[in-house]
Amino acid sequence: MPQQPYPAFNQGAPVPPPQPQRRPIKAYLRGAAVVLGLIVIAGGWWASRDDADTAAVGDCLKSASSSSDRMEVVDCSSSEAESKVIKKIDGHFTQFTAEAECRKVKGATGFYAETGDGDEFLFCTKDA
């Protein structure tokens, strides 16, 4: 009898369904890390959206905290409003040059200079 190239096929036996491929736990962990990273980035953006660098002329500011020299934008009708921006000047300013520049602005009673990383500017302010 000649050899058959393939084993005989049993037509009566049921074919088991293919097993679904399981994703390894590492794939889920990578996905979770990406989502967590996006949440952290979004949270940082949300927290910084009231920083002084978003302020414009007419906005009111308050100190971010008692131990910080940072300012935050607040609603001018808020009791937290400490000063109102009456002029914004781009550039680098020291305390001396900032004070001298804002003395030239009519109605200015104070100033806030943002220096260092990022945008550098000067706000001449008046009491809110």
Side-chain angles (χ1 to χ4, degrees):
M1 176 167 176
Q3 278 191 330
Q4 293 181 345
Y6 302 103
F9 181 69
N10 185 355
Q11 293 182 358
V15 176
Q19 293 293 324
Q21 294 224 344
R22 295 180 57 191
R23 291 187 178 202
I25 190 77
K26 288 182 181 180
Y28 292 113
L29 290 175
R30 281 188 203 112
V34 168
V35 169
L36 183 61
L38 292 173
I39 290 171
V40 168
I41 290 169
W45 171 80
W46 181 264
S48 70
R49 69 184 175 86
D50 288 337
D51 287 347
D53 59 352
T54 63
V57 172
D59 287 342
C60 290
L61 304 172
K62 76 165 188 128
S63 297
S65 71
S66 60
S67 64
S68 172
D69 60 352
R70 305 279 303 165
M71 299 294 276
E72 291 180 359
V73 177
V74 294
D75 190 290
C76 289
S77 62
S78 167
S79 62
E80 295 181 315
E82 297 170 357
S83 59
K84 186 172 188 172
V85 178
I86 58 175
K87 186 169 185 175
K88 180 178 180 180
I89 307 166
D90 290 327
H92 178 79
F93 293 90
T94 64
Q95 182 168 350
F96 177 75
T97 59
E99 185 175 355
E101 193 67 32
C102 284
R103 283 187 180 173
K104 301 174 190 175
V105 178
K106 183 177 180 180
T109 58
F111 65 90
Y112 171 75
E114 181 82 27
T115 59
D117 296 339
D119 293 339
E120 295 188 323
F121 56 85
L122 169 67
F123 289 141
C124 297
T125 62
K126 68 177 185 175
D127 294 337

